[in-house]
Amino acid sequence: MPMKTLDTPRLTIRPLTEADAAFMLRLLNDASWLHYIGDRGVRTLEDAKHYILKGPVEMYGRLGFGFCAVELKASGEAPDELIGICGLAQRDYLDDPDIGFAFLPQFCGQGYAFESASAVLRFAQQDLGLSRVLATTRHYNQASQGLLEKLGLRCLREIDHPDGDRKLLLYGIEWS
């Protein structure tokens, strides 16, 4: 099942493509990404294309989900604008898919992460038929923790990151 495009009143959440490489290069090297998520070693457009193809695009084909581009819908003369990413991933160290999100700093605090993540959770439950979605965050990322709780996820426990260099908080939500 291919990853489908999701729409909200203000946003389009669509599969990433190689054409999004310049945006991903910028996002992956943003100070907030590096601080809260970590360095992915993506330094060139070619690295960013490889990151998109070997991560999200591969996951869409294998699982029907992955991280997606979040675009602010066009208004007036302004075209659609890529502002962040949101979606699901299946990590080797987690039993269920986890939700993640990241936005360029100028688009934080405006409800876009909540709006896109709410749509992704609906997709997970209604389209994918998942009974549980997880999330991880670093202890010091209070904004992410607050958003996860607003979305209905609850902190389950602390886990070790598989690379062994840090602890993560594991969140989850279950549907019957």
Side-chain angles (χ1 to χ4, degrees):
M1 173 174 72
M3 178 66 206
K4 73 182 220 180
T5 295
L6 309 174
D7 277 298
T8 72
R10 300 184 297 168
L11 306 170
T12 300
I13 302 126
R14 61 158 177 83
L16 285 159
T17 69
E18 283 184 87
D20 300 315
F23 172 80
M24 285 305 296
L25 180 63
R26 185 172 161 208
L27 183 66
L28 291 165
N29 289 287
D30 181 78
S32 60
W33 177 289
L34 295 171
H35 181 67
Y36 291 116
I37 299 170
D39 190 347
R40 298 295 186 254
V42 174
R43 301 289 181 263
T44 66
L45 272 178
E46 280 307 310
D47 291 345
K49 287 178 186 175
H50 184 263
Y51 180 89
I52 291 167
L53 292 174
K54 294 300 176 199
V57 171
E58 186 276 329
M59 206 169 282
Y60 306 148
R62 191 165 45 90
L63 301 170
F65 60 79
F67 287 115
C68 293
V70 177
E71 290 178 329
L72 190 55
K73 289 181 178 176
S75 61
E77 298 295 309
D80 289 359
E81 182 177 6
L82 196 43
I83 63 172
I85 61 171
C86 184
L88 300 167
Q90 182 60 63
R91 314 244 185 229
D92 295 341
Y93 59 95
L94 295 175
D95 295 333
D96 296 286
D98 75 303
I99 189 167
F101 38 80
F103 289 80
L104 291 173
Q106 64 267 37
F107 299 104
C108 293
Q110 298 173 59
Y112 299 131
F114 180 78
E115 191 172 324
S116 60
S118 294
V120 167
L121 287 174
R122 276 191 304 279
F123 170 73
Q125 183 183 21
Q126 296 170 6
D127 294 66
L128 298 175
L130 298 178
S131 59
R132 184 165 87 146
V133 169
L134 301 173
T136 62
T137 184
R138 294 187 186 199
H139 285 273
Y140 54 83
N141 192 345
Q142 280 87 20
S144 185
Q145 293 163 32
L147 176 57
L148 292 171
E149 289 168 7
K150 185 176 176 184
L151 289 163
L153 285 85
R154 294 293 164 249
C155 189
L156 304 174
R157 67 184 178 278
E158 183 180 81
I159 62 170
D160 291 316
H161 190 279
D163 65 16
D165 72 349
R166 64 186 175 273
K167 300 275 189 191
L168 297 171
L169 294 177
L170 178 68
Y171 281 75
I173 187 170
E174 292 190 47
W175 304 286
S176 47

